[in-house]
Amino acid sequence: MEVCCRKKLKDELKTLLDESNLLYEECLAANREQEEILRNAHMRLESLFQIMSTSLDGGNLNERAESLLVSICMGSILECVMQLFLLAYSDEYKDSSWQKWTDFKEEETAHLIDDALKQAVEKKAMTSRQRKSALEEVKKFFRKKRDEPAIESVTLSDLTSFYLSKNVIDDEERECFKKLVDKIRNGRNCVHVFSENTTNSTEDVLQLLTDFEPILFDLRKRAQYKNGTATPCGDVVRDMLKDYPDNTCLVIVAETDDSTIAS
């Protein structure tokens, strides 16, 4: 890997690490009750970034091997970041009742299914052992539906479904978000030797990291708005100030506190 490309990748990794640290701080401020879990997850997150950065420093891996390593780490990083955000707002997550079945007669339904399975055994469509196994799987599935899934155990695929179904991501970003997550998921699956990975070059890796940055930024901003450490209006004013630094009115507004801007 060329030195200039390696430097670009390291710079982008540093940007992503800084952004993830800011997200962690906002998540921690939002839910101190989850401090230990959040801190442990953040330590793992930092370790993943360190693994990628160290691999770029050493230069002992060829381009394809480095691409595979980044792909695997990025899948875990994305999953961790999405879990961090949900852990910070675990009360809202529970209130969503996501994948939780309500107004469901569990025992009655299990009995009806068992009756059908017994008929299948009587007609020799299945064995008695198969019936017992099937019924146990049904009951196990029903037990899972008593509560929403534990955030720490939600897979990247299900996390994506939650974010899209609950409008965590803005409408205009939804399609880009889904494409990026699918790409990262496919990349992480390269741990399976027969899977296909489209991130095979330095340019692919750099593009993957670059595309990931807005996701981190969006989540961090949402956390800030929730905590009151920033406001959408205040951010708009500051963005305008960057474009028009000599505008006196914008300077005055930008120097007010967020509550004043919000009002």
Side-chain angles (χ1 to χ4, degrees):
M1 187 181 292
E2 296 180 4
V3 176
C4 62
C5 293
R6 193 181 300 277
K7 185 179 185 308
K8 288 181 181 178
L9 284 173
K10 284 185 66 66
D11 289 344
E12 188 62 33
L13 279 176
K14 179 64 167 58
T15 299
L16 293 179
L17 176 58
D18 290 342
E19 193 64 47
S20 67
N21 285 337
L22 291 172
L23 172 62
Y24 163 70
E25 290 172 4
E26 293 295 336
C27 291
L28 188 60
N31 193 341
R32 289 288 177 183
E33 292 181 1
Q34 299 282 355
E35 183 173 354
E36 184 176 355
I37 295 175
L38 287 167
R39 184 184 295 111
N40 290 337
H42 181 246
M43 289 172 61
R44 183 68 58 85
L45 193 61
E46 287 186 316
S47 297
L48 290 168
F49 277 109
Q50 184 179 358
I51 289 170
M52 289 191 288
S53 182
T54 301
S55 72
L56 296 176
D57 278 333
N60 296 322
L61 302 178
N62 61 35
E63 184 179 48
R64 186 174 183 84
E66 284 184 331
S67 300
L68 291 176
L69 178 62
V70 172
S71 296
I72 294 169
C73 289
M74 283 303 297
S76 296
I77 287 172
L78 176 60
E79 185 175 86
C80 183
V81 165
M82 294 169 74
Q83 287 172 325
L84 276 177
F85 188 81
L86 288 188
L87 280 167
Y89 303 105
S90 54
D91 289 341
E92 288 84 350
Y93 173 74
K94 290 179 180 178
D95 289 341
S96 72
S97 297
W98 184 62
Q99 291 193 355
K100 178 181 178 180
W101 286 3
T102 56
D103 300 325
F104 171 62
K105 298 178 180 179
E106 181 179 330
E107 291 187 9
E108 182 178 339
T109 304
H111 282 308
L112 291 172
I113 292 175
D114 192 27
D115 288 343
L117 292 175
K118 288 177 180 177
Q119 291 182 26
V121 173
E122 291 173 0
K123 294 180 180 180
K124 300 187 183 303
M126 66 188 313
T127 66
S128 178
R129 177 178 294 182
Q130 289 170 338
R131 169 199 153 254
K132 291 180 180 179
S133 177
L135 183 61
E136 182 55 38
E137 287 301 314
V138 168
K139 290 181 177 180
K140 186 186 299 183
F141 179 78
F142 287 169
R143 287 195 292 271
K144 288 182 178 179
K145 294 300 180 180
R146 293 174 186 173
D147 300 290
E148 66 283 338
I151 295 173
E152 301 94 316
S153 64
V154 181
T155 64
L156 183 54
S157 177
D158 283 341
L159 282 166
T160 305
S161 298
F162 175 83
Y163 272 59
L164 293 175
S165 65
K166 298 301 179 181
N167 298 319
V168 179
I169 300 297
D170 291 334
D171 288 342
E172 60 270 19
E173 300 293 335
R174 287 167 65 86
E175 191 59 34
C176 291
F177 171 77
K178 188 176 185 306
K179 287 181 179 179
L180 175 64
V181 173
D182 288 342
K183 186 176 182 179
I184 292 178
R185 282 177 57 210
N186 290 335
R188 187 171 69 168
N189 286 340
C190 71
V191 295
H192 307 297
V193 294
F194 292 108
S195 65
E196 182 179 357
N197 182 26
T198 58
T199 308
N200 295 316
S201 68
T202 306
E203 291 75 17
D204 291 337
V205 172
L206 186 57
Q207 188 62 53
L208 185 69
L209 299 182
T210 303
D211 291 342
F212 181 59
E213 187 177 342
I215 302 297
L216 270 175
F217 181 79
D218 182 65
L219 292 179
R220 195 251 298 175
K221 280 298 178 184
R222 285 174 177 269
Q224 284 185 307
Y225 299 156
K226 175 74 175 179
N227 291 338
T229 53
T231 63
C233 183
D235 284 337
V236 169
V237 170
R238 290 181 179 86
D239 288 341
M240 292 174 64
L241 186 57
K242 291 178 183 178
D243 297 328
Y244 306 99
D246 297 327
N247 191 309
T248 305
C249 291
L250 287 176
V251 172
I252 293 173
V253 175
E255 287 179 347
T256 61
D257 61 27
D258 286 331
S259 62
T260 304
I261 293 174
S263 64

